[in-house]
Amino acid sequence: MIDTAVHDADRVQHAPADEVRVAPQPEWSAGVQETVNELLARAAGQWPDRPYLENNGVVHTYSEIAESAASLAAGLAALGVQRGDRVVMLLDNSVECAQVWFAVNWLGAIWVPLNTANKGEFLRHQIHNAGAAVVITESRFVERLVPIADGIPEVTTVVTREPVGHDMPWRAETLAVLLTADRPRVPMVTVAPGDLAMFIYTSGTTGPSKGCMISHNYVCNLARQYLAGTARTPEEVAWTALPLFHMTRHRPPCSRH
């Protein structure tokens, strides 16, 4: 497309006055424009009983993932999470990783999955840089958060998988309670394809980690490119041993269809 535009522009410069025509503009963002929220809602509606994710031998369907995301979104909204907020996640590979991602995006907020090996200044810098008020973490990682508390003043709430046995300088909640509490559902926020879905932090090997701002459509396009490149079918299963905070694993529900 760019080559064509350049070629046509060259013809404009040298053509007789009565034959001058306008060169076509290149399309920098051609193709389908979608959001994670749209795909989640569509997948749960069209294929409610089809498997979306299997973890530790337990299969979770599209509708189950959407339902749990809705419940967790209501819980996060009760904590004050709203559109544009960042929510940090420090979880091992589990179904909760998907539930947290979709719940955060459900509210129009930005999901920030961090490397679970981070500690000390690496961890402090990324949480502070994200400006997150809520951190969702494995219970054992709280001992990494407490020593850096003074360096992450934006944090107000820490959500752990299980209750922790020591004091924290933040409001404490558990993931199970947020997922199962009987709260009124909150409507899925309408977001645009160009709105941010997540921050992905670089490794920080050559300097402080940078938060890469990833849009909804970027994530969806990544899934489409994966499908196009591998020619996968809806009957196939994608298996991964990669951590779910890694960018290559962030594929919304369109990645099976």
Side-chain angles (χ1 to χ4, degrees):
M1 178 67 75
I2 294 175
D3 289 343
T4 301
V6 171
H7 175 70
D8 286 344
D10 208 36
R11 291 185 57 187
V12 167
Q13 294 173 3
H14 298 93
D18 59 350
E19 295 182 12
V20 171
R21 60 191 180 86
V22 178
Q25 296 298 309
E27 295 184 30
W28 301 114
S29 185
V32 180
Q33 300 284 309
E34 293 181 300
T35 71
V36 172
N37 291 4
E38 290 171 343
L39 292 182
L40 177 63
R42 188 167 73 221
Q46 292 185 358
W47 312 294
D49 299 324
R50 294 202 63 167
Y52 171 62
L53 175 70
E54 179 177 343
N55 179 250
N56 289 331
V58 179
V59 175
H60 304 270
T61 66
Y62 284 107
S63 61
E64 288 171 343
I65 289 293
E67 182 72 13
S68 60
S71 296
L72 183 53
L76 292 175
L79 298 181
V81 176
Q82 55 187 338
R83 188 187 189 110
D85 288 347
R86 281 75 62 202
V87 177
V88 162
M89 187 191 80
L90 274 167
L91 292 178
D92 295 327
N93 279 12
S94 58
V95 65
E96 287 82 5
C97 290
Q99 292 167 338
V100 170
W101 171 17
F102 294 136
V104 171
N105 282 177
W106 186 292
L107 298 174
I110 302 167
W111 183 51
V112 188
L114 298 185
N115 190 327
T116 54
N118 283 349
K119 59 182 67 175
E121 177 57 20
F122 275 91
L123 182 59
R124 187 212 65 80
H125 166 73
Q126 293 178 11
I127 296 176
H128 176 62
N129 183 261
V134 176
V135 175
I136 301 175
T137 180
E138 298 291 345
S139 303
R140 69 182 187 279
F141 294 153
V142 170
E143 63 184 28
R144 302 181 190 175
L145 297 174
V146 172
I148 61 174
D150 291 342
I152 48 175
E154 300 85 1
V155 175
T156 61
T157 304
V158 171
V159 180
T160 55
R161 187 181 293 278
E162 301 92 15
V164 294
H166 54 79
D167 293 334
M168 295 188 294
W170 309 286
R171 175 182 179 179
E173 297 285 350
T174 61
L175 194 53
V177 170
L178 293 185
L179 277 164
T180 59
D182 185 16
R183 293 186 178 89
R185 295 297 171 86
V186 296
M188 179 182 283
V189 172
T190 300
V191 294
D195 288 343
L196 295 180
M198 60 182 71
F199 286 174
I200 301 295
Y201 277 86
T202 61
S203 61
T205 53
T206 59
S209 300
K210 282 76 173 177
C212 301
M213 299 184 291
I214 309 298
S215 71
H216 277 260
N217 193 58
Y218 185 99
V219 182
C220 296
N221 191 57
L222 181 67
R224 288 191 292 269
Q225 292 297 325
Y226 170 76
L227 289 176
T230 60
R232 302 188 70 83
T233 69
E235 287 68 38
E236 292 180 295
V237 176
W239 180 89
T240 182
L242 290 173
L244 294 181
F245 60 76
H246 197 281
M247 185 63 203
T248 58
R249 302 318 312 155
H250 300 158
R251 300 198 180 100
C254 68
S255 61
R256 283 183 60 94
H257 298 274

